[in-house]
Amino acid sequence: MGDMTLSLPIAPEANELLARSPLALLLGMVLDQQVPMEKAFSSPYVLTQRLGHEPDARELAGYAPEGLVELFAQPPALHRFPKAMAARVQEVCRVLVERYDGDPAGLWSDVTDGRELLRRVGELPGFGKQKAQIFVALLGKRFGVTPDGWREAAGGYGHAEAYRSVADVTDPESLRRVREYKQRMKAEAKAAKG
């Protein structure tokens, strides 16, 4: 394993799933809000265990909504807001089915440049500019998805020396630095509100 790989302090099986499944990676990013990143990015593995197999986008897009909510809400819940996030995951999967034939890697496999990649990711339900930029940085830094201009498209998250997001986590030390950055941003935002 080179330093390319995302390595979060989660179960090795959960990290392996993220490394081999574009859908798991994308769903981790979808869930990465209002919960710690370890929780968000380990939930796709827990979902896989609850289903009894690795899900694909078509399956989740067509899943009975109540059934999916149950899978998300079952303790320990996959997210603080299981109902909302089950719906969001389903919306994202439906877009993948409609636009990319159910293949999440279709989001990035044939893009011509970083701007196009950012635009495509930004069109997914729940992906604002910041979240889209973090995902572009994550793909570029950890998964070898590096179309022309990807660092620029990712903004501050694309910098080689940044410790700002999940894209920069490769070990406990980098995780600590990313945490500190996030805490600093929170504190500054609070101070700005006065």
Side-chain angles (χ1 to χ4, degrees), residues 4-67:
M4 267 304 283
T5 326
L6 181 67
S7 180
L8 287 167
I10 57 179
E13 301 83 4
N15 267 320
E16 280 159 25
L17 180 64
L18 295 171
R20 75 166 179 272
S21 163
L23 182 64
L25 187 68
L26 183 61
L27 296 187
M29 193 74 225
V30 170
L31 297 172
D32 188 18
Q33 57 189 62
Q34 295 157 308
V35 294
M37 63 172 85
E38 299 92 312
K39 174 77 177 166
F41 284 92
S42 57
S43 282
Y45 177 68
V46 181
L47 178 61
T48 295
Q49 288 181 301
R50 288 177 185 178
L51 283 167
H53 57 266
E54 274 184 46
D56 66 46
R58 279 182 196 287
E59 178 185 9
L60 294 179
Y63 216 88
E66 318 73 58

Side-chain angles (χ1 to χ4, degrees), residues 62-127:
Y63 216 88
E66 318 73 58
L68 197 57
V69 170
E70 265 170 44
L71 286 174
F72 270 66
Q74 188 185 316
L78 299 186
H79 193 277
R80 259 173 70 188
F81 305 110
K83 196 171 176 183
M85 293 319 270
R88 170 67 46 80
V89 160
Q90 192 151 46
E91 288 167 9
V92 167
C93 287
R94 284 179 179 150
V95 172
L96 293 176
V97 170
E98 284 160 21
R99 296 191 188 169
Y100 303 104
D101 203 27
D103 178 12
L107 270 169
W108 57 83
S109 56
D110 62 349
V111 292
T112 49
D113 59 28
R115 261 202 313 255
E116 187 187 353
L117 177 58
L118 182 67
R119 181 183 57 73
R120 286 185 180 191
V121 175
E123 285 170 352
L124 295 172
F127 278 73

Side-chain angles (χ1 to χ4, degrees), residues 95-168:
V95 172
L96 293 176
V97 170
E98 284 160 21
R99 296 191 188 169
Y100 303 104
D101 203 27
D103 178 12
L107 270 169
W108 57 83
S109 56
D110 62 349
V111 292
T112 49
D113 59 28
R115 261 202 313 255
E116 187 187 353
L117 177 58
L118 182 67
R119 181 183 57 73
R120 286 185 180 191
V121 175
E123 285 170 352
L124 295 172
F127 278 73
K129 185 178 181 192
Q130 183 187 30
K131 199 180 189 62
Q133 286 187 319
I134 290 172
F135 194 63
V136 168
L138 179 59
L139 289 171
K141 290 179 177 185
R142 303 287 151 244
F143 294 90
V145 177
T146 54
D148 280 353
W150 70 272
R151 285 189 190 275
E152 292 74 12
Y157 299 104
H159 294 168
E161 301 304 312
Y163 287 95
R164 293 188 177 190
S165 74
V166 65
D168 303 307

